[in-house]
Amino acid sequence: MRARIRGFHVGLAFIALAGLAYRIWYVIREIGRIPLNGDAAYYQWQSNDIAHGLWFIDPGQYHWYGRITPSAGHPPVYILYLAAVSKLIGE
C-alpha cells in the first residue's frame, strides 16, 4: 500500500514539474508578442510606476495625458507585490 502511495506522489510531482516547465517555456517564448490591454496593462503600468516612486496614481491618466491623479481602482497588496518584482527584475 505504501509503495502505491509513494508511486502516486512521484507521478504527481513529475506531472507538476512538467506543467511548470511548459509554462516557463511558453512565457519566455511569448515575451513581447502578446500586447497587454485592460487590467493586465493597468497592473503592469501601476506596478512599474510604484517601482519608480510614483505611488498609487492612475496609470492611464499618467501615461496618456501626463496627469498625476490618485487612484484606488485595484487592490493594493497585489500591485505592491508586482512593484517589488518589477523593482527586483526590471520591467
Side-chain angles (χ1 to χ4, degrees):
M1 183 69 167
R2 286 186 186 253
R4 287 181 57 195
I5 292 174
R6 186 174 193 168
F8 172 78
H9 287 118
V10 169
L12 185 60
F14 176 75
I15 291 170
L17 288 174
L20 177 64
Y22 174 75
R23 284 183 70 111
I24 291 171
W25 171 79
Y26 180 79
V27 167
I28 290 171
R29 185 181 68 130
E30 295 295 323
I31 286 178
R33 292 179 57 185
I34 301 173
L36 294 178
N37 57 19
D39 280 345
Y42 186 94
Y43 281 117
Q44 173 74 19
W45 290 345
Q46 192 168 38
S47 64
N48 288 336
D49 290 343
I50 290 172
H52 292 106
L54 300 169
W55 289 88
F56 294 103
I57 63 170
D58 185 349
Q61 292 288 322
Y62 181 69
H63 289 277
W64 291 322
Y65 307 113
R67 292 186 281 217
I68 295 179
T69 308
S71 174
H74 288 81
V77 176
Y78 185 59
I79 293 175
L80 288 174
Y81 162 73
L82 293 175
V85 171
S86 179
K87 188 75 169 174
L88 289 174
I89 65 173
E91 297 177 20

